[in-house]
Amino acid sequence: MSDLLRAPGFPEEEVRARARDGERTVFPAADSYGTTLYGAGAPVPADGLDALRVAPPLFMPGRLGELVQLGREPLFSDVDLDTDIGGFRSPVPVFVCAFGSTRVANDGLAAAASRQAARLGLPMLVGENIAPVHGYRDEAELAGTLIKRIRLYLDEVPDGMGGVVVQQSTEDADAEVWNHLYSDPTVEPLLKTGRLGFELKVGQGAKPGLGGMTLVDRADGSRLAEQFRLSTLNGVADDDRNASLVRSSSPGTFTADILRHQIRLMRNNYPRCRTWVKLFPGRDVAEAVAVAHAAGADAVTVDGAEGGTGWAPTSFLHHVGLPLGECLVRLSDTPACLLASGRMWEGARAAKAIALGARAVGLGRAALLAVDEDADQGLLRLVRCLALELQMLTSAVGKYRVGLLSPDDLWRPDVPT
Amino acid sequence: MLTLGNHQKSDPAIAGPPAPGDHLADPRTRAALRLQHHLLIAGREYLTEAGFVELLPPVIGPVTDPGVRGAKQVDVDYYGHRFKLATSGILYKQASLTAFDRIFNVAANVRLEPPEVCSTARHLVEFRQLDVELANAGREEAMHVAEGLVKHMVRRILDQHSALLDELGRDQEPLRLLVDLPFPVLPHPVAVTALHRRNYPQNPEAEIEWPAEVLLSREYDLPFFVTDYPRGSRGFYDRADEENPNVLLNFDLLAPEGFGEISSGSEREYEYAKVVTRLRETGENPAKYAWYLDMVRSGIPASAGFGIGVERLTRWIAGLEATWQATAFPKLPGVVAP
């Protein structure tokens, strides 16, 4: 565990406990078994999605169907979690989100996440600004560069599972991240097996409507000055050599036409790659998902306002963007392969998002915290906990494929989302 | 007759170039390069006669054609600024029309194409284009010039240099056929339907794929135009049809006999707001195009133009198995060569 990484407002301790102790944390402490009475009240829900309850029926024709097929009573362990996530096969409906160029994603955490995501066979995103900020091919082989992350992933990923999706946003286009990568021999094993994707980043949950923002030191600042807007904050003297600068990138301008044609161009230019799109939780999210889907995107990620590993103005963290649950409700009819991210870390929230129409959920902060807790096993343990919970919750509503979860399986209390 | 797409191991299209000394000493290389020399002389003559000025373009600039189909650009450290080697001269071609109404040039372009296109027998990392641009002209006029130019160059070879074709073992009948007949025109949706009829899964919203071009090209005895590519399949500068904004007023010229595309052209976007919007559609950040956008904002002429790939043209007329055979120092995608 590093001294650096903190996630206030996020169930950090719970995630760390899972990363440390694994599946036994899915249940109350074993030493309390037989001596403690449980069930008196759930924690206060963090948002509308958490406030939903999974509501099993008493009569379960789906379970009967499974019983007939198996020739025995089905168990939760019979639930199939295998999922096609935007063209990539994953053993669980989970992918690892991009961590961006923020400082917390460096220091080896992203590299550890790459290795563990690969071992699990989960699709993994590599974040925007990785190339222009950290350098495309890092001669010193420092963890955190694009190619290094992909190599680490390739070293461990099982055949036929997972995939790597590389983001590019408006400012990244200057560094031609996708063009560089598409010709790089390192990614050929991914291309050859259909496991490379590119994600057009329209925005992120933490800063809807704003571009990327990170703090950089003055040395990096002078290198980045041509590409990004850099500013000091009030109260910092201009000659303070140790002070940090705010590096802001443009959010990029989108209209329905611009989004549609950018996606078409991606499909045209990179026919061997999957095409993903990441949206911030805008009020017209349903229209944007429809445009992306019609233009041929293989997956559309909606990053709820609870999402984002990044550094953002507090006004945005607290007051801007639709919550994930509201986005999913607005998207209930979409035929798109919808992916959801935002405050994901355990099975119940994942099950609810899937029941509301998401194909899979993304782990961002939770993945970083898990690998911070245990660089070798943390993410593996966290995902195994989530998978176990998903199996139990899915079987509880009488279903044996996680993708069959539906809004009927949820009960919405009378609280605002 | 060539059997493209059905190569044996000894086929140069698969084997790739020999060492530079061996390549240059090969009589076929010499015949092909001599043919190219005469093609360029004929092309220059034709265009000069038609009132075009040969205006030599820059090699490096702060931006270049953002390109399509995944080719990456070559960065140049220009006194601490990141400049680019030209992937095409399009930005300078449009800007040059503020000096002359009709311009052309023969320019080297560099595109680090994905290694996968090495097998198309048609892609070079470093290649030359005979670039042409006409102010105040539409697509039809540009197509007319392209057709006239190609016919003139072929006619010149047939009339004065047919010995070179003999030396190369080139069947001259297909070339004789084209000089007097109009080139057919095939709109993109028609081409897509034709490919679907042949069970080729061509995406109707994308560029015609390389194998599909070969397939189409094999069915024609004459060069033919494919027009009306869908928006989102080409560069931002190809003008969108105002009546049907999802269609671009552009064209490719494909050689017959399986040789495929030898030229791309279009009517151009030239109005500032449209250029900026189309730039965004290609994912580009307009800020880096400042010099070009400043010129567009202060007014550049409406125009149309095209570029003919010199090596591809030579390959077709010479009947060579691969485009690299039509250049002295070939550089293939993904292959490091001098």
Side-chain angles (χ1 to χ4, degrees), chain A residues 170-171 173-176 179-180 182-183 226 252-254 257-258 261-262 264-265 267-270 272 295, chain B residues 68-73 81-82 112 114-116 203 205-207 231-233 246 280-283 285 288:
Chain A
T170 303
E171 305 264 355
D174 287 359
E176 291 200 283
N179 282 345
H180 275 280
Y182 200 61
S183 308
E226 198 168 317
T253 303
F254 287 90
D257 260 346
I258 290 174
H261 292 302
Q262 285 201 14
R264 285 188 183 167
L265 194 72
R267 295 179 59 212
N268 186 74
N269 290 3
Y270 313 110
R272 301 173 77 198
Chain B
V68 288
R69 298 209 208 188
K72 74 182 170 189
Q73 304 173 357
H81 297 267
R82 187 169 62 195
L112 297 179
E116 74 204 48
N203 176 356
E205 290 171 353
E207 180 73 271
R231 190 165 173 173
S233 69
N246 284 323
R280 276 299 300 151
E281 287 178 12
T282 60
N285 184 357
K288 61 180 181 172

Side-chain angles (χ1 to χ4, degrees), chain A residues 256 259-260 263-264 267 275-277 279 285-301 331 333-338 359, chain B residues 205:
Chain A
L259 179 60
R260 179 179 305 119
I263 293 168
R264 285 188 183 167
R267 295 179 59 212
T275 303
W276 287 26
V277 176
L279 303 175
V285 68
E287 186 191 351
V289 169
V291 166
H293 177 67
D298 293 297
V300 186
T301 302
L331 289 162
D333 297 328
T334 183
C337 174
L338 190 64
R359 180 78 61 86
Chain B
E205 290 171 353

Side-chain angles (χ1 to χ4, degrees), chain B residues 153-169:
Chain B
M153 290 191 283
V154 171
R155 200 177 286 123
R156 170 62 54 82
I157 298 299
L158 289 171
D159 291 349
Q160 298 182 15
H161 307 287
S162 63
L164 286 173
L165 297 176
D166 292 337
E167 203 176 321
L168 289 158

Side-chain angles (χ1 to χ4, degrees), chain B:
Chain B
M1 197 65 189
L2 292 171
T3 50
L4 293 169
N6 188 23
H7 304 294
Q8 301 303 307
K9 268 216 154 136
S10 58
D11 191 324
I14 288 191
D22 295 340
H23 178 52
L24 292 169
D26 185 336
R28 275 169 68 77
T29 308
R30 290 176 178 178
L33 295 179
R34 206 176 281 279
L35 184 87
Q36 189 172 80
H37 168 64
H38 292 299
L39 284 170
L40 288 173
I41 291 173
R44 284 191 162 103
E45 266 176 21
Y46 180 86
L47 291 166
T48 306
E49 192 82 356
F52 287 82
V53 175
E54 183 164 3
L55 191 151
L56 298 176
V59 178
I60 59 171
V63 282
T64 183
D65 182 350
V68 288
R69 298 209 208 188
K72 74 182 170 189
Q73 304 173 357
V74 177
D75 288 354
V76 175
D77 182 351
Y78 185 70
Y79 302 103
H81 297 267
R82 187 169 62 195
F83 268 43
K84 306 284 187 179
L85 276 184
T87 54
S88 91
I90 181 62
L91 307 178
Y92 293 105
K93 277 168 75 177
Q94 283 186 279
S96 299
L97 295 178
T98 54
F100 304 112
D101 280 351
R102 297 181 144 212
I103 59 120
F104 78 97
N105 55 56
V106 180
N109 300 149
V110 179
R111 298 179 188 174
L112 297 179
E113 300 277 1
E116 74 204 48
V117 299
C118 197
S119 60
T120 63
R122 297 163 49 193
H123 284 84
L124 291 173
V125 168
E126 188 178 65
F127 64 100
R128 286 96 200 144
Q129 290 201 79
L130 174 50
D131 260 322
V132 177
E133 197 73 15
L134 305 77
N136 307 309
R139 170 173 62 179
E140 275 59 38
E141 198 176 336
M143 288 166 67
H144 181 73
V145 173
E147 182 170 336
L149 175 61
V150 167
K151 284 179 172 169
H152 178 80
M153 290 191 283
V154 171
R155 200 177 286 123
R156 170 62 54 82
I157 298 299
L158 289 171
D159 291 349
Q160 298 182 15
H161 307 287
S162 63
L164 286 173
L165 297 176
D166 292 337
E167 203 176 321
L168 289 158
R170 174 63 159 126
D171 177 4
Q172 296 180 25
E173 270 321 296
L175 302 177
R176 293 194 186 284
L177 186 68
L178 72 90
V179 291
D180 294 319
L181 293 173
F183 294 174
V185 177
L186 193 66
H188 185 273
V190 178
V192 170
T193 307
L195 288 165
H196 287 175
R197 262 204 307 272
R198 288 156 187 76
N199 296 318
Y200 189 93
Q202 171 64 42
N203 176 356
E205 290 171 353
E207 180 73 271
I208 306 276
E209 292 161 17
W210 310 120
E213 272 189 8
V214 173
L215 207 62
L216 281 179
S217 161
R218 276 190 190 142
E219 300 196 359
Y220 280 81
D221 297 328
L222 295 173
F224 60 101
F225 290 104
V226 176
T227 58
D228 296 348
Y229 283 78
R231 190 165 173 173
S233 69
R234 289 292 171 96
F236 70 89
Y237 38 80
D238 279 14
R239 187 167 171 81
D241 186 349
E242 284 184 3
E243 307 281 300
N244 187 356
N246 284 323
V247 170
L248 300 173
L249 296 172
N250 61 1
F251 64 89
D252 270 7
L253 179 59
L254 279 75
E257 307 168 76
F259 288 98
E261 183 213 324
I262 54 170
S263 172
S264 286
S266 188
E267 204 165 308
R268 312 298 187 192
E269 295 287 4
Y270 65 97
E271 294 149 298
Y272 176 73
K274 285 188 182 173
V275 169
V276 172
T277 306
R278 292 290 308 285
L279 255 176
R280 276 299 300 151
E281 287 178 12
T282 60
E284 290 292 300
N285 184 357
K288 61 180 181 172
Y289 291 80
W291 79 266
Y292 169 75
L293 291 176
D294 284 348
M295 282 200 76
V296 174
R297 196 198 276 264
S298 58
I300 58 170
S303 70
F306 58 90
I308 295 179
V310 173
E311 291 86 354
R312 287 186 181 178
L313 175 79
T314 310
R315 176 209 176 195
W316 160 51
I317 294 175
L320 299 170
E321 292 84 353
T323 304
W324 66 258
Q325 293 171 288
T327 188
F329 300 96
K331 293 187 179 68
L332 265 61
V335 179
V336 179

Side-chain angles (χ1 to χ4, degrees), chain A residues 126-144:
Chain A
V126 181
E128 52 125 15
N129 288 328
I130 291 297
V133 175
H134 298 308
Y136 172 69
R137 190 183 292 279
D138 191 341
E139 300 299 335
E141 291 290 308
L142 293 171

Side-chain angles (χ1 to χ4, degrees), chain A residues 149-292:
Chain A
R149 286 189 198 178
I150 292 174
R151 281 208 191 110
L152 289 171
Y153 187 89
L154 267 170
D155 283 348
E156 308 236 14
V157 71
D159 289 345
M161 305 295 286
V164 175
V165 182
V166 179
Q167 284 182 341
Q168 183 172 281
S169 62
T170 303
E171 305 264 355
D172 298 328
D174 287 359
E176 291 200 283
V177 177
W178 292 337
N179 282 345
H180 275 280
L181 206 60
Y182 200 61
S183 308
D184 197 298
T186 307
V187 304
E188 187 54 29
L190 289 173
L191 276 172
K192 213 163 50 188
T193 54
R195 289 186 292 170
L196 182 67
F198 289 152
E199 183 175 75
L200 173 63
K201 183 176 177 181
V202 177
Q204 59 179 314
K207 307 182 259 273
L210 273 188
M213 283 183 165
T214 55
L215 285 177
V216 296
D217 63 30
R218 286 192 184 262
D220 278 344
S222 57
R223 188 166 55 81
L224 297 169
E226 198 168 317
Q227 192 178 348
F228 299 102
R229 183 183 164 80
L230 296 164
S231 47
T232 52
L233 299 173
N234 273 345
V236 174
D238 281 346
D239 59 354
D240 180 350
R241 298 180 61 82
N242 297 318
S244 294
L245 300 170
V246 181
R247 188 227 68 184
S248 307
S249 51
S250 142
T253 303
F254 287 90
T255 62
D257 260 346
I258 290 174
L259 179 60
R260 179 179 305 119
H261 292 302
Q262 285 201 14
I263 293 168
R264 285 188 183 167
L265 194 72
M266 287 169 74
R267 295 179 59 212
N268 186 74
N269 290 3
Y270 313 110
R272 301 173 77 198
C273 286
R274 295 292 181 171
T275 303
W276 287 26
V277 176
K278 179 178 182 176
L279 303 175
F280 67 76
R283 64 186 191 221
D284 50 359
V285 68
E287 186 191 351
V289 169
V291 166

